[in-house]
């Protein structure tokens, strides 16, 4: 296995050389925080996204939507991003480099630096060296830097806009239409995969911290008093390593526990959060993450958003970067819908009918418009409406209209009590949000899949990517590029691609070199056409990980490879 100390360089060397990931606009001098996905990287990315869809769209039944990556300013004022979406920044007084203050502190052993105030960070950085020039940072000031990319919409800079910093807001602004699409019933959810943008201060972590990146987010709208997942049985006995707040404070390692126990013991807030912890564990291990290097860390009280009922990060261990957040799973309560409702004036509630209508006594305040009209003229109607929603005192009621306060004496209105039939209530849903960083998922999948081993006196480099996400699923080789072997191999390649198996024909170089080339890019299976094929119509299928081979008839090849790729058959079973 590759040494962890230089695993990043080895993985990225293969990624660049083989066409997974390249520096963006390299011929003009690439800029940190932007990458290009080459032919194999783009296919790997699509496969990871489609694996995610297989869970959230096909298994969970949440439909996918697609919203613009540019939004007008009002969206991000309501979401809080304009005011709050900032990181603490420092400028080195020696070299002038702008740096993220909490990252420098974290790299020098100061834990949870992101929760420190600007003053506390300033004190912590005083003696620390600048990562660029190595000079002490001294008394340079720490200040906030908003991470959103600002733009203008239309000519004349009349409307300010922003590139979205997350995909979630489009789902929230579409809430009313989504509610009608799901026939006005809870729970329901919507998902979105797409680009997001954050103007990172000093991205120095390759694919881990990008300025343009892909997210896959689900927003699941649930009744605030019913957070029992209807399919919780699916994951009730699923075990995942949980690093709770208590275990963090005690300096303990994560403990593997079932989701049922986690909810019953109060470690996880509710079944929805626990359900998506388990589902996330299944997805991450499905793309090639080592289960021994995966944990779910609960947000500490001082790092959790004030509106969140519970929040967990799926963290994966990297040989270069340590524990890296890959997925965030949060119960965001009704913060987002409440904020957008307040700013837009649009209702963000769901009518929940009662099983049986209820008879209740309601108080109604009725203004005497005969007096109120002449006295307040054009504002009389607005005052009457405000009065109807007020809580009057003994002498009268105080109401505010257009920023102006009015006192309405008690003799200008009547309070009536009426018994009415109530068929249900308006409820503002709570939101469960699993948010996935696709680019980070791809990097840790590459790192954890990368291996080196000595075979016949030379080093074999191999990416042990699961077949479901490998960019090329099957390589097809003619043993020799003559005697009709190449024609048979090309025909097999065409048949496999017609069966939706991504196959690559390769006749370049010695057969051993071709195996090594495919091993290095993660191709799980190779089919070799040899002279025996011409006699008995069979081919050799080779398994990447064990390097074992088995002969199978050509007429069953598509069926066998489909089963191997889907996981319904293993190579060991094939050889039995």
């Amino acid at each position: 296995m590759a040494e962890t100390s230089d695993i990043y360089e080895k993985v990225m060397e293969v990624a660049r050389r083989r066409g997974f990931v390249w520096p963006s606009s390299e011929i003009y001098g690439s800029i940190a925080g932007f990458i290009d996905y080459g032919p194999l990287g783009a296919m790997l990315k699509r496969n990871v996204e489609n694996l995610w869809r297989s869970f959230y769209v096909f298994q969970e039944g949440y439909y996918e939507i697609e919203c613009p990556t540019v939004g007008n300013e009002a969206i991000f004022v309501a979401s809080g991003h304009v005011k709050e979406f900032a990181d603490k920044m420092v400028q080195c007084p020696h070299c002038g480099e702008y740096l993220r203050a909490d990252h420098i502190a974290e790299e020098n052993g100061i834990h949870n630096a992101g929760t420190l105030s600007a003053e506390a960070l300033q004190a912590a950085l005083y003696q620390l060296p600048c990562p660029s020039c190595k000079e002490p940072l001294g008394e340079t000031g720490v200040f906030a830097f908003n991470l959103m990319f600002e733009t203008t919409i239309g000519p004349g800079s009349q409307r300010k806009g922003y590139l979205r910093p997350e995909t979630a807001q489009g789902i929230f602004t579409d809430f009313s239409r989504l509610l009608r699409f799901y026939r006005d019933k809870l729970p329901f959810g919507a998902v979105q995969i797409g680009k997001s943008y954050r103007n990172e201060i000093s991205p120095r972590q390759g694919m881990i911290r990008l300025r343009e990146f892909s997210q896959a987010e689900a927003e699941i709208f649930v009744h605030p008093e019913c957070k029992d997942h209807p399919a919780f049985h699916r994951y009730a006995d699923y075990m995942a390593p949980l690093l709770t707040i208590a275990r963090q404070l005690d300096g303990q390692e994560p403990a593997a526990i079932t989701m049922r126990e986690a909810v019953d013991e109060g470690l996880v807030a509710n079944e929805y959060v626990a359900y998506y912890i388990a589902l996330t564990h299944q997805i991450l291990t499905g793309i090639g993450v080592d289960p021994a290097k995966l944990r779910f860390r609960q947000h500490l009280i001082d790092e959790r958003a004030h509106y969140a009922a519970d929040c967990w990060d799926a963290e994966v261990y990297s040989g270069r970067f340590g524990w890296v957040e890959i997925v965030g799973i949060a119960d965001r309560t009704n913060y987002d819908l409440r904020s957008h409702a307040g700013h837009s004036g649009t209702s963000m509630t769901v009518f929940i009918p009662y099983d049986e209508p209820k008879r209740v006594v309601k108080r109604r305040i009725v203004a005497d418009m005969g007096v109120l009209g002449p006295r307040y003229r054009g504002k009389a109607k607005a005052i009457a409406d405000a009065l109807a929603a007020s809580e009057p005192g003994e002498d009268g009621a105080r109401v505010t209209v257009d920023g102006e306060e009015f006192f309405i004496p008690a003799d200008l209105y009547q309070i009536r009590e009426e018994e009415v039939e109530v068929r249900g209530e308006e409820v503002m849903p709570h939101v469960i949000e699993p948010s996935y960083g696709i680019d980070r998922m791809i990097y840790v999948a590459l790192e954890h899949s990368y291996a080196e081993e000595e075979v016949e006196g030379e080093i074999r480099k191999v990416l042990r990517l699961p077949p479901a996400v490998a960019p090329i699923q099957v390589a097809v080789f003619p043993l020799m590029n003559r005697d009709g072997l190449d024609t048979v191999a090309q025909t097999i390649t065409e048949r496999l691609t017609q069966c939706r198996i991504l196959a690559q024909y390769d006749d370049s170089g010695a057969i051993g070199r071709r195996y090594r080339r495919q091993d290095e890019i993660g191709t799980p299976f190779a089919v070799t056409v040899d002279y025996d094929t011409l006699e008995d119509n069979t081919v050799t299928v080779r398994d990447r990980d064990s390097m074992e081979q088995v002969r199978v008839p050509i007429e069953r090849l598509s069926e066998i490879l489909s089963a191997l790729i889907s996981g319904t058959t293993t190579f060991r079973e094939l050889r039995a």
Side-chain angles (χ1 to χ4, degrees), residues 243-254:
L243 185 59
T244 61
I245 292 174
R247 298 189 78 85
Q248 291 176 71
L249 296 178
D250 290 342
Q252 295 178 307
E253 293 295 310

Side-chain angles (χ1 to χ4, degrees), residues 437-496:
I438 296 294
D439 310 275
R440 293 185 178 193
M441 290 169 68
I442 290 169
Y443 173 74
V444 295
L446 288 171
E447 182 180 307
H448 287 199
S449 298
Y450 182 83
E452 293 178 1
E453 58 190 16
E454 187 173 330
V455 178
E456 297 177 354
E458 63 178 35
I459 297 299
R460 179 175 89 118
K461 297 179 180 179
V462 57
L463 286 177
R464 303 191 192 280
L465 292 167
V469 298
I472 296 171
Q473 296 168 320
V474 180
V476 183
F477 307 146
L479 183 64
M480 305 295 288
N481 194 16
R482 61 173 184 267
D483 300 330
L485 299 181
D486 51 343
T487 303
V488 174
Q490 288 171 342
T491 301
I492 288 173
T493 305
E494 292 172 4
R495 288 178 181 173
L496 293 177

Side-chain angles (χ1 to χ4, degrees), residues 492 496 527 539 541 552-562:
I492 288 173
L496 293 177
V527 173
V539 292
V541 177
V552 302
I554 290 178
E555 63 267 20
R556 293 194 58 219
L557 186 59
S558 298
E559 169 199 340
I560 290 169
L561 288 171
S562 294

